[in-house]
Amino acid sequence: MNIRESREAWEEQYLSPYASCASRSQGRDIPEDPCDIRTVYQRDRDRILHCKAFRRLKHKTQVFLAPEGDHYRTRLTHTLEVAQIARTIARALRLNEDLTEAIALGHDLGHTPFGHSGERILDELCPDGFSHYKQSVRVVEVLEKDGKGLNLTKEVRDGILNHRTSGHPATLEGGVVRLSDKIAYINHDIDDAIRGRIFQEDEIPESYTSVLGYSVRERLNTMIHDIIISSTDQPQILMSPGMEEAMQGLRSWLFEHVYKNDIPKAEEGKAQQLIASLYHYYMEHIIELPEEYLLMMLNRGEKKERVVCDYIAGMSDSYAINKFEELFVPRAWKV
């Protein structure tokens, strides 16, 4: 028995009956020989961790566009926080930590530059629409490895697709990531908003803090414990009704006081105009796309609108700004 087989046997014996054991995965679209060391979910996690789209997350906006300061979250630090929360919950519930981590690390790979403002403008521009959760799946199925994709298991792809609020993951591990995503961004966005002096902790309504806690640390601890207690020996991932109501209320309050606030939204119009300008330029100069995108149109029959969206969505904030300056900002003439 090799290392992978030993791990698979351990999962079958130790994990919850509701867990997704690697040996019972629905597999990949393209069959592969098994690894002698890693399970299929461990391989998926590693493929995501080493892919280019994952590395680009470090230069993509979470909420605050181009903040001055090293401690504001980026899309990458958000992803890591989601993974940490999700693994804590999965371990306590005896679910598959490797599957949970793979989903968490991959859930935002398709996010645009400039956060949700970039997502909204691409959704307006692209005839087939645009959403980051669908794009994240497209990244791992099509765009990575020069159009070959990462060939991930069906369970990981399902979890990535269904991490959104309205999603319905097929596995409990996907359900853990779905809630962990919200727990992470609610709390770290509060932390960043306080750092950005948008509001102070004592301005958060008492109706939420009395249930969830009076600091980021308390709220994380409270919500994580609640999910574990509510979901133990259950075939689904749950929060207690009062806790979920308070979390959703705090989330709605954040939309009004942070996400729609003038400070983080101050540069949003400029960012959307930048993305729109890039989109229209490449639609008119399609031949200037990198070769891998041109080959997708040639070999896969992809629409040019789709590949232009793919290219722009994959840009980091800084790369998009540099491309805009290169294409539209005059340079000083030198002898």
Side-chain angles (χ1 to χ4, degrees), residues 1 5 11 16 64 74 76 87 94 121 156 163 171 199 222 244 278:
M1 183 179 290
E5 291 169 335
E11 290 180 357
S16 162
F64 293 87
T74 65
L76 178 60
R87 285 197 61 168
R94 292 189 297 120
I121 189 63
V156 172
H163 79 271
T171 66
F199 60 78
T222 299
E244 184 170 13
L278 291 175

Side-chain angles (χ1 to χ4, degrees), residues 244-309:
E244 184 170 13
E245 182 180 358
M247 184 185 77
Q248 294 296 352
L250 181 56
R251 180 173 177 267
S252 297
W253 186 84
L254 280 175
F255 269 92
E256 293 301 319
H257 292 80
V258 177
Y259 307 136
K260 296 180 181 179
N261 184 279
D262 289 341
I263 295 175
K265 287 180 68 68
E267 303 298 307
E268 185 175 291
K270 296 177 185 178
Q272 291 186 330
Q273 185 175 9
L274 182 153
I275 288 178
S277 298
L278 291 175
Y279 178 85
H280 293 307
Y281 178 86
Y282 285 111
M283 285 295 293
E284 296 174 5
H285 304 83
I286 197 73
I287 196 65
E288 294 186 28
L289 287 177
E291 183 181 10
E292 61 193 271
Y293 295 93
L294 299 177
L295 288 175
M296 282 201 295
M297 291 189 291
L298 180 64
N299 298 333
R300 294 176 53 90
E302 299 277 6
K303 299 177 183 177
K304 69 175 183 178
E305 294 89 349
R306 185 79 266 161
V307 297
V308 169
C309 274

Side-chain angles (χ1 to χ4, degrees), residues 190 199-206 208-209 219 250 253:
I190 288 174
F199 60 78
Q200 296 180 354
E201 174 68 39
D202 59 12
E203 295 180 64
I204 302 173
E206 173 74 14
Y208 307 135
T209 55
R219 283 186 288 272
L250 181 56
W253 186 84

Side-chain angles (χ1 to χ4, degrees), residues 68-216:
E68 292 186 5
D70 294 332
H71 300 135
Y72 290 94
R73 270 69 171 194
T74 65
R75 191 62 60 178
L76 178 60
T77 56
H78 161 72
T79 294
L80 296 176
E81 291 183 32
V82 172
Q84 180 271 322
I85 292 169
R87 285 197 61 168
T88 297
I89 296 171
R91 180 175 297 179
L93 296 176
R94 292 189 297 120
L95 299 177
N96 194 310
E97 288 185 56
D98 298 321
L99 172 58
T100 303
E101 186 177 24
I103 296 170
L105 293 177
H107 83 280
D108 270 355
L109 291 178
H111 246 298
T112 62
F114 310 115
H116 286 286
S117 61
E119 180 178 13
R120 286 192 292 271
I121 189 63
L122 278 186
D123 186 43
E124 292 178 17
L125 292 168
C126 187
D128 295 327
F130 183 92
S131 56
H132 80 275
Y133 56 90
K134 292 180 180 178
Q135 188 69 12
S136 295
V137 176
R138 183 167 168 81
V139 166
V140 299
E141 288 185 340
V142 177
L143 300 180
E144 276 292 326
K145 296 183 69 175
D146 298 325
K148 297 177 184 177
L150 301 179
N151 196 30
L152 304 181
T153 58
K154 293 180 181 179
E155 292 83 5
V156 172
R157 287 177 287 152
D158 170 83
I160 290 172
L161 180 64
N162 286 290
H163 79 271
R164 64 197 188 280
T165 299
S166 60
H168 300 282
T171 66
L172 266 62
E173 289 81 0
V176 168
V177 174
R178 177 179 168 274
L179 280 180
S180 298
D181 182 34
K182 289 156 191 59
I183 291 173
Y185 74 66
I186 286 172
N187 284 288
H188 66 50
D189 290 351
I190 288 174
D191 191 39
D192 282 353
I194 292 172
R195 179 173 289 104
R197 299 181 181 178
I198 293 176
F199 60 78
Q200 296 180 354
E201 174 68 39
D202 59 12
E203 295 180 64
I204 302 173
E206 173 74 14
S207 57
Y208 307 135
T209 55
S210 62
V211 177
L212 302 173
Y214 295 92
S215 68
V216 169

Side-chain angles (χ1 to χ4, degrees), residues 6-21 24 88-97 233:
S6 296
R7 176 66 187 185
E8 291 173 345
W10 179 89
E11 290 180 357
E12 294 283 353
Q13 180 179 359
Y14 175 78
L15 294 185
S16 162
Y18 304 115
S20 301
C21 292
R24 289 183 262 133
T88 297
I89 296 171
R91 180 175 297 179
L93 296 176
R94 292 189 297 120
L95 299 177
N96 194 310
E97 288 185 56
D233 298 326

